[in-house]
Amino acid sequence: MTVLLLRLAGPLQSWGSSSRFARRGTEAAPTKSGVLGMLAAAKGMRRTDPLTELLRLEFGVRIDQPGQIMRDFQTARTLDGRDSMPLTYRFYLSDAVFLAAVSGEEELLRGLAEALERPQFPLYLGRRSCPPAGRISLGVHGESLDEALTGWPWLAADWYKRRASRSVRLEIIRDVRPGELSSEVLPDEPVSFDPARREYSWRSVVRAHVDVDNDDPDRAGVTEHDPLSLLGG
């Protein structure tokens, strides 16, 4: 098994799977369609290009730092200034950090890792207004998606770790596998990014949790029951 690991962090992120009209929401974690779209942009794929090879990838994400929901509303007018357009409400995740993983053929993953280092198109975290902070690729590793998501060190910011307890429980969301019962179903499996016929199918996911150690040496020493702990033990 081979897996490509991604660090998804930035001041703002927005991963919508069911946004409509004037309300543009965000999921609590990166969507598969959003991450595959980012990988396609790194490779220089056009929106009209087929997604065949990317759709073979298994996807999972770990919520290392959930961030906070922010709401913004935007106004617009016609070019002549005479008419107002409808208000739009847009939701974002502020100060969130995620560990994402895609599993598949090693040659494909190594090509994607190289593309992330020299992307052909600008990369963003769900929306064009959400650029990533720092490098995205954490490299290609010879392990399974589950091993990577449960064994990789905690990626939260130092200030966040200092306020957390000795051990933290992180949520993992990944593609369901044959024979498994899904936790929920999302309209998040991309079929086409073509603006003329953008299409998504339903994606079944499994939710799980993993306990990881807080390795921050300056941790404040809160206990698992301290109300100041952000995650609890």
Side-chain angles (χ1 to χ4, degrees):
M1 299 295 292
T2 309
V3 63
L4 169 62
L5 294 180
L6 312 171
R7 176 182 176 271
L8 304 177
L12 293 176
Q13 305 185 40
S14 188
W15 306 94
S17 65
S18 58
S19 296
R20 292 292 185 274
F21 306 110
R23 184 181 179 88
R24 305 290 174 144
T26 179
E27 299 293 332
T31 58
K32 183 175 185 178
S33 56
V35 172
L36 292 188
M38 182 181 66
L39 295 175
K43 288 192 64 178
M45 295 174 60
R46 301 286 177 175
R47 289 182 178 271
T48 52
D49 291 341
L51 302 172
T52 306
E53 62 177 4
L54 295 182
L55 296 181
R56 294 197 297 264
L57 297 172
E58 183 183 23
F59 176 72
V61 62
R62 191 180 75 188
I63 303 176
D64 282 29
Q65 185 173 315
Q68 295 183 333
I69 295 286
M70 292 182 59
R71 185 183 69 172
D72 182 30
F73 71 91
Q74 299 182 10
T75 61
R77 300 183 71 87
T78 55
L79 291 176
D80 59 15
R82 295 179 180 179
D83 299 313
S84 296
M85 306 300 288
L87 288 176
T88 60
Y89 292 87
R90 299 171 187 263
F91 293 82
Y92 301 88
L93 296 172
S94 173
D95 291 329
V97 181
F98 304 98
L99 173 67
V102 289
S103 178
E105 298 176 0
E106 182 176 356
E107 182 178 358
L108 172 60
L109 295 181
R110 293 199 178 279
L112 291 173
E114 293 176 3
L116 288 170
E117 298 295 334
R118 295 179 294 275
Q120 297 298 305
F121 295 122
L123 306 180
Y124 48 88
L125 304 177
R127 290 204 189 120
R128 292 186 181 89
S129 59
C130 303
R135 294 178 61 180
I136 293 177
S137 175
L138 296 175
V140 176
H141 304 270
E143 55 187 343
S144 70
L145 184 139
D146 287 345
E147 290 170 337
L149 291 178
T150 57
W152 196 264
W154 193 23
L155 296 180
D158 290 342
W159 65 266
Y160 192 86
K161 290 181 178 180
R162 286 194 293 270
R163 299 175 61 185
S165 57
R166 183 179 297 109
S167 177
V168 293
R169 175 159 290 185
L170 308 179
E171 184 174 21
I172 293 173
I173 307 170
R174 63 164 175 80
D175 291 339
V176 72
R177 298 182 183 126
E180 290 184 325
L181 294 177
S182 63
S183 300
E184 64 182 287
V185 180
L186 302 170
D188 185 36
E189 190 75 38
V191 177
S192 172
F193 290 136
D194 187 342
R197 53 180 185 85
R198 188 175 290 132
E199 184 179 356
Y200 303 88
S201 62
W202 292 96
R203 170 182 170 236
S204 297
V205 301
V206 169
R207 292 180 180 267
H209 294 84
V210 60
D211 294 321
V212 301
D213 293 331
N214 184 354
D215 58 1
D216 191 290
D218 298 322
R219 188 177 60 84
V222 298
T223 67
E224 286 77 0
H225 302 290
D226 192 316
L228 295 179
S229 172
L230 293 179
L231 293 177

